[in-house]
Amino acid sequence: MAEANILVAEQQLLCAVCLEILKDPVAIPCGHSYCMGCIKNCWDQTDHTGVYSCPECRETFTPRPVLGRNTMLAEIAGEFKKRKLNPPPAQSYAGPGDVLCDFCTGRKFKAVKSCLTCLVSYCETHVKPHYEGAVFKRHKLINAIGNLEQKLCAEHQKVLEVFCRTDQTCICMMCTQDEHKSHDTVSAKKERHVKQKQLRETQTEIQQIIQERLKEIEELKQAVESLKRSAKREMEESKKTFTELIQSIEKIHTEVIELIGAKEKAAVNQAEGLMKKLEQEIAELINRNAELRQLTEAEDHIHFLQKFQSLCAPPKAGDLPSVTVNTDISFGAVRKAVSELKDHIEDFCKGELVKITKRVNETAVYTLRSRSSGRCLNVNEVAVYSLQAPEPRNRADFLKYSCQLTLDPNTVHRNLCLSEGNRKVTLRETQQNPDHPERFDSWPQVLCREGLSGTRCYWEIECSGELASIGVTYKGISRKGEYYSCGLGFNDKSWSLFCSGSSYTALHNIQGTAITAPRSPRIGVYLDFNAGTLSFYGVSDTMTLLHRFQTTFTEPLYPGVWLHYYDSPVTICLLN
């Protein structure tokens, strides 16, 4: 409202000619006011006409009116100019969070001081008596604060000015005479000095901690930069090493191709040479046979007898060996050797990748220690600092880690039959698989081709029958013999979940844990290799955790299944 009034007053004090606040204001007969200089200049331009008009309402005057200074309007304009040039500070009015002046009416100004004697807060105007009046000399003024009633003793309604060290609370003088009479009490000012010292000590400690944290941040920045440089250097070295490794493999590949080609060329040359010699021998025998036919037809008996001795001698066997042709010519053995080399290299690389992953994970930018004891904190204690992705909570989260698995025909038991692209396995009474070094010969089991390590993986198994075991194992699990040590979960190399019609059992190294849960035809398996967890879930509308193994995996893990019942297939599900 005050700003609106000022705006109206300013409009009324403007000269209609120069549009500025009136200077030496004069009023003309029509009642309008102008700066004396402005109206003079205006009328001087119309002196030749003898008619003078008001620039605002156009009323005319003859003769030219005599101008006289309006003293009252001049004072008003002068005061207005002074107020406009020196307005009251905007912060004088109380805003949100400010302490209000208790004496102001209407719109309140911001209080600048509070009196602990009066228990009232004052603005700059209303606090002046406390500075000027002798009666207020003993009043205690402080910077404006709110809730002055909190400065009063709730029991005696007196100002709190004493501190009770016994009860660690502020009290009034009357409190020292009754309930705090025997207590250790001091003035609030004296206690403030003591606490002020403690406060400075605390501030010093905080400053030291800030400096320590800043130092740690700087060290972390330097360590991160060092890590980045080291990582870049090692990635370049690793790229160089793997390039050389690829070149070595390509060289071996070239040598194998050349070896096969050389063998092919040598064998072809030998066969062609032998064929040429055989053809020559055939030609010689054909010529001799013709000579014998001529001798048989000769009429001269003497000629016949003379030639008979030389022509009828038995044919010589010659120097050519007897030829036995291999009807099944192929380089299948070479292909098998190359395939075994591939598997060996892959297995070796997977095992080495586990070691490399461990070494990489051991490379730490920092070590977290307890500031109180100095000991290193374990994984659980610093879990809050972990940068790993959160654990999956629903099936959609698990599917982010889905992997495609296929069963390995080289490991499948003789009574097992694979189908559907080696994703489905069924137990049959007839045996059909030839022997193989990696094949299980005691228990009807099969492993997957894929070895899993250094990452998170999720897959689902559908069990159509009553009994089956699903799990994972190191590649070194025994494949031969009639012992349970070959079975999934019955040794220290494997972990499994045995699924029966109405219950589950988690197995590792023959140790079993019985699980009571609703029957689920589909089991989800979640492996977090680096965290050392293997979890089994019943998959339906929700994910039901059946069991979780917690350990440390040191080698790639191969998923596998063990069938316990005929015509009860197990299928690795395709996950989208």
Side-chain angles (χ1 to χ4, degrees):
M1 181 64 72
E3 288 84 350
N5 292 337
I6 291 172
L7 184 60
V8 172
E10 183 175 5
Q11 294 292 336
Q12 293 171 344
L13 294 173
L14 291 181
C15 172
V17 177
C18 67
L19 300 179
E20 298 289 342
I21 295 176
L22 293 168
K23 183 179 181 183
D24 292 332
V26 294
I28 62 176
C30 65
H32 291 108
S33 300
Y34 299 94
C35 298
M36 183 176 289
C38 292
I39 195 63
K40 274 179 140 184
N41 290 336
C42 183
W43 284 352
D44 286 347
Q45 296 174 11
T46 59
D47 268 343
H48 63 283
T49 63
V51 178
Y52 307 92
S53 64
C54 173
E56 194 166 351
C57 67
R58 301 302 178 184
E59 183 177 344
T60 58
F61 313 104
T62 304
R64 178 171 175 166
V66 177
L67 298 176
R69 187 172 185 271
N70 189 328
T71 305
M72 182 177 294
L73 192 57
E75 290 178 359
I76 295 173
E79 183 64 27
F80 185 84
K81 284 183 180 180
K82 188 186 298 183
R83 290 180 58 192
K84 188 172 182 181
L85 291 174
N86 301 291
Q91 62 269 24
S92 294
Y93 293 103
D98 290 334
V99 179
L100 304 180
C101 175
D102 294 318
F103 269 75
C104 286
T105 59
R107 182 177 181 185
K108 291 183 176 290
F109 286 101
K110 180 174 69 174
V112 294
K113 293 292 181 179
S114 294
C115 178
L116 296 182
T117 306
C118 303
L119 293 177
V120 174
S121 296
Y122 302 98
C123 64
E124 289 182 352
T125 301
H126 293 119
V127 78
K128 287 180 180 179
H130 274 71
Y131 295 125
E132 300 169 354
V135 70
F136 297 112
K137 291 295 184 181
R138 295 184 179 181
H139 286 206
K140 187 172 182 180
L141 292 177
I142 61 172
N143 290 332
I145 59 173
N147 300 323
L148 282 173
E149 62 274 6
Q150 293 182 0
K151 309 301 178 184
L152 291 177
C153 174
E155 183 176 353
H156 304 109
Q157 294 300 304
K158 297 294 183 179
V159 177
L160 300 173
E161 49 187 337
V162 180
F163 184 79
C164 177
R165 289 177 172 173
T166 305
D167 293 336
Q168 290 293 301
T169 185
C170 294
I171 59 177
C172 68
M173 289 299 297
M174 293 185 67
C175 291
T176 61
Q177 304 302 318
D178 43 37
E179 59 178 307
H180 295 273
K181 185 175 182 179
S182 60
H183 291 183
D184 181 11
T185 59
V186 295
S187 67
K189 182 178 181 180
K190 184 175 181 179
E191 186 64 20
R192 165 71 182 269
H193 287 312
V194 175
K195 293 289 193 288
Q196 192 79 25
K197 182 180 179 180
Q198 295 177 359
L199 183 63
R200 285 194 294 268
E201 292 174 353
T202 301
Q203 286 179 308
T204 301
E205 292 178 3
I206 291 175
Q207 289 297 327
Q208 290 176 348
I209 294 173
I210 290 173
Q211 293 302 317
E212 290 175 2
R213 299 298 186 271
L214 290 173
K215 182 181 178 182
E216 289 175 355
I217 289 174
E218 186 60 31
E219 291 174 349
L220 274 173
K221 287 180 180 178
Q222 295 177 3
V224 168
E225 290 301 320
S226 176
L227 178 72
K228 288 180 179 179
R229 292 193 297 270
S230 177
K232 182 179 179 180
R233 182 172 60 252
E234 294 308 320
M235 283 190 284
E236 292 173 352
E237 289 296 324
S238 296
K239 182 178 179 181
K240 179 181 177 182
T241 301
F242 279 102
T243 300
E244 293 173 353
L245 178 60
I246 292 171
Q247 291 174 348
S248 299
I249 294 175
E250 289 177 345
K251 183 179 178 181
I252 295 174
H253 174 219
T254 301
E255 291 176 356
V256 171
I257 296 300
E258 291 176 351
L259 181 64
I260 294 174
K263 176 63 178 178
E264 175 194 15
K265 184 176 180 180
V268 169
N269 289 338
Q270 290 177 357
E272 290 177 347
L274 183 59
M275 285 189 293
K276 187 174 182 180
K277 290 181 179 180
L278 289 172
E279 288 171 352
Q280 291 176 353
E281 184 177 4
I282 290 171
E284 292 174 358
L285 290 173
I286 290 174
N287 291 335
R288 185 177 180 186
N289 189 49
E291 292 176 354
L292 290 174
R293 188 166 48 252
Q294 291 177 358
L295 183 61
T296 301
E297 296 173 354
E299 295 179 357
D300 187 343
H301 302 302
I302 298 300
H303 174 75
F304 176 87
L305 293 173
Q306 289 175 338
K307 293 288 186 180
F308 176 81
Q309 190 67 30
S310 59
L311 293 178
C312 284
K316 297 180 180 180
D319 297 331
L320 293 178
S322 174
V323 178
T324 301
V325 178
N326 182 8
T327 58
D328 186 20
I329 303 174
S330 75
F331 285 94
V334 177
R335 183 172 62 251
K336 181 179 179 182
V338 171
S339 177
E340 290 175 351
L341 173 63
K342 168 181 167 291
D343 293 341
H344 177 72
I345 292 176
E346 286 180 348
D347 292 341
F348 176 77
C349 289
K350 288 175 182 176
E352 292 303 307
L353 179 60
V354 174
K355 297 179 183 178
I356 293 172
T357 302
K358 184 178 179 182
R359 297 287 175 84
V360 170
N361 291 335
E362 288 173 351
T363 304
V365 178
Y366 54 84
T367 301
L368 295 175
R369 295 179 178 274
S370 170
R371 295 188 185 276
S372 57
S373 64
R375 67 181 181 84
C376 290
L377 302 179
N378 60 41
V379 175
N380 293 328
E381 290 173 311
V382 298
V384 67
Y385 299 101
S386 176
L387 299 180
Q388 287 201 4
E391 283 292 310
R393 296 183 178 180
N394 50 51
R395 189 166 181 265
D397 290 344
F398 283 103
L399 290 177
K400 295 176 183 177
Y401 304 100
S402 62
C403 58
Q404 300 301 325
L405 303 175
T406 53
L407 299 170
D408 186 359
N410 292 336
T411 65
V412 64
H413 186 270
R414 289 186 296 272
N415 288 92
L416 295 179
C417 176
L418 301 183
S419 59
E420 296 186 11
N422 291 344
R423 291 186 302 103
K424 182 177 181 179
V425 58
T426 307
L427 180 61
R428 306 291 190 190
E429 293 186 3
T430 57
Q431 296 185 355
Q432 54 184 348
N433 298 308
D435 194 22
H436 191 279
E438 297 183 1
R439 191 176 312 288
F440 289 99
D441 68 355
S442 54
W443 307 110
Q445 300 179 133
V446 59
L447 303 183
C448 291
R449 291 179 180 272
E450 296 78 12
L452 309 177
S453 63
T455 185
R456 294 179 173 187
C457 301
Y458 177 75
W459 63 98
E460 291 180 355
I461 303 291
E462 191 160 328
C463 303
S464 301
E466 292 294 317
L467 301 174
S469 295
I470 58 179
V472 297
T473 179
Y474 295 147
K475 193 167 187 177
I477 188 174
S478 178
R479 315 295 175 96
K480 311 299 180 184
E482 295 293 332
Y483 302 103
Y484 267 101
S485 60
C486 302
L488 291 174
F490 285 84
N491 47 71
D492 60 357
K493 294 181 174 63
S494 61
W495 297 259
S496 72
L497 182 73
F498 173 70
C499 308
S500 67
S502 58
S503 65
Y504 301 94
T505 303
L507 288 163
H508 171 64
N509 204 19
I510 316 179
Q511 302 298 318
T513 301
I515 302 163
T516 302
R519 168 69 175 171
S520 177
R522 180 173 288 205
I523 302 297
V525 187
Y526 174 64
L527 169 67
D528 189 337
F529 189 92
N530 293 332
T533 59
L534 176 69
S535 307
F536 296 90
Y537 290 85
V539 180
S540 57
D541 295 335
T542 58
M543 302 289 289
T544 303
L545 178 63
L546 301 175
H547 188 77
R548 175 177 290 131
F549 290 102
Q550 181 71 59
T551 184
T552 300
F553 299 119
T554 58
E555 301 177 29
L557 294 167
Y558 291 81
V561 296
W562 179 358
L563 275 66
H564 303 274
Y565 204 78
Y566 289 110
D567 296 322
S568 297
V570 171
T571 305
I572 300 175
C573 304
L574 283 174
L575 302 178
N576 297 326

